Amino acid sequence: VTVALIVSQKVAIQALTSRASHVSVGKPLNTMTAESPSSCLFLSSSKWDNLVDEDDNDAGPPIPPDMKYVERNVMRQHQNFVAIREAGGKEMTNDVYVREPSSGIFWFAGKVARVSDVSLADAVARQWPLIEQHAANLRPLELYPHRGTLEIWTAPGDSELDVAYNRPSIVFEKMSRGMTTNIKNVMVGFSGEVYQEGEEGFRTLRNDDGRPAKPEINDGSEARAPSDEEMAQLEEKLQGQDLNALYKEQQRRKGKEVSD
């Protein structure tokens, strides 16, 4: 609703990867079925969801009823994401990052999906209130106070690995704040990031043009080992991830057999 990373210390390099189905950190929502406890969609990380009120919209224009941040809408859009991804693959998805305009920290907030007749810009615009509120709830200190002014940026689907490595080929695209209701909600989906207890959250430093603010990090394919600074960057970004699961996913992407 996907990433791999290779971490090394001086000489040895450990392979990491993230889930192809959803996110780089936290428990992906699309591992849950429609029968799963829907409360997990809201309460997996902390108690900040108590801040949410269905009619709490003093930070912007009226929100369409089907995009208010309430359980039924969050669950429906997550299920839409899963269905679209299964039908169209990752090409129909994009990773979503949110930042407070004056900050260079872009927080991974989840993934959007759309059918082929809907543009990425429209997919984000249609779900903007849901995405913005979800990101604000994920980061109650960094983002919540800035609801109504938050920026939403997108990257290619399942590109967390390249983002973590600061690959210059991955340039974030800024979405225009807006709202459209002429697209049926079933034609778009959003699978929000969910943190497990103790997870720090995946984020990246970017310039205002969406390009990496830090130099590209060597992935170990060259002879030299990563520097201490590179190691610190990787460890900070990947803190709390299930390294074993990430490594297995990377091997599967390479076509190698991996025992469960």
Side-chain angles (χ1 to χ4, degrees):
V1 193
T2 10
V3 83
L5 208 48
I6 300 176
V7 176
S8 156
Q9 290 195 5
K10 304 277 185 176
V11 179
I13 295 181
Q14 293 179 333
L16 306 177
T17 131
S18 179
R19 321 158 182 86
S21 57
H22 181 242
V23 299
S24 60
V25 289
K27 182 177 181 180
L29 297 185
N30 60 3
T31 60
M32 295 185 286
T33 65
E35 293 75 29
S36 300
S38 56
S39 60
C40 293
L41 294 170
F42 292 87
L43 303 178
S44 294
S45 60
S46 69
K47 298 179 180 178
W48 39 247
D49 295 287
N50 294 330
L51 296 171
V52 180
D53 186 289
E54 182 172 354
D55 297 321
D56 182 12
N57 183 37
D58 56 359
I63 296 175
D66 64 348
M67 288 299 157
K68 288 186 176 182
Y69 196 77
V70 293
E71 183 177 333
R72 63 180 180 274
N73 292 339
V74 174
M75 177 65 81
R76 182 192 61 246
Q77 293 312 114
H78 165 69
Q79 292 171 340
N80 290 349
F81 174 90
V82 174
I84 294 171
R85 166 135 191 161
E86 289 179 348
K90 75 173 184 178
E91 289 73 19
M92 292 292 99
T93 71
N94 286 83
D95 296 347
V96 175
Y97 295 81
V98 177
R99 76 159 179 170
E100 182 269 311
S102 66
S103 173
I105 301 176
F106 290 65
W107 294 94
F108 179 78
K111 295 172 182 282
V112 294
R114 66 200 186 282
V115 299
S116 57
D117 292 338
V118 177
S119 69
L120 172 59
D122 284 343
V124 172
R126 181 68 172 91
Q127 302 175 101
W128 189 290
L130 203 69
I131 296 170
E132 183 175 34
Q133 186 65 61
H134 185 78
N137 290 352
L138 276 178
R139 310 305 311 180
L141 298 180
E142 299 90 349
L143 300 181
Y144 192 90
H146 305 282
R147 288 180 312 130
T149 64
L150 295 176
E151 296 178 354
I152 296 178
W153 296 65
T154 60
D158 298 354
S159 62
E160 294 97 325
L161 168 63
D162 291 329
V163 170
Y165 275 131
N166 297 325
R167 301 292 192 220
S169 59
I170 302 298
V171 180
F172 286 9
E173 181 180 357
K174 184 179 180 181
M175 299 289 99
S176 297
R177 175 179 288 275
M179 202 173 298
T180 178
T181 57
N182 60 354
I183 298 173
K184 293 182 178 180
N185 57 41
V186 73
M187 301 176 72
V188 295
F190 173 64
S191 187
E193 168 72 307
V194 176
Y195 297 158
Q196 292 181 342
E197 184 177 358
E199 289 182 331
E200 295 295 327
F202 181 63
R203 68 272 198 190
T204 180
L205 291 174
R206 296 264 152 173
N207 296 317
D208 289 339
D209 61 1
R211 299 179 185 276
K214 298 290 185 179
E216 183 175 5
I217 298 174
N218 173 46
D219 63 1
S221 60
E222 302 174 4
R224 76 172 182 86
S227 66
D228 291 340
E229 181 179 358
E230 291 170 342
M231 277 299 304
Q233 291 179 33
L234 290 175
E235 290 172 357
E236 180 181 2
K237 290 178 179 180
L238 299 171
Q239 185 176 3
Q241 295 193 45
D242 185 342
L243 304 187
N244 185 51
L246 299 180
Y247 174 73
K248 288 182 178 179
E249 180 58 36
Q250 184 186 51
Q251 298 307 300
R252 290 191 183 98
R253 291 192 182 188
K254 292 180 178 179
K256 298 181 180 180
E257 294 185 3
V258 178
S259 61
D260 294 326

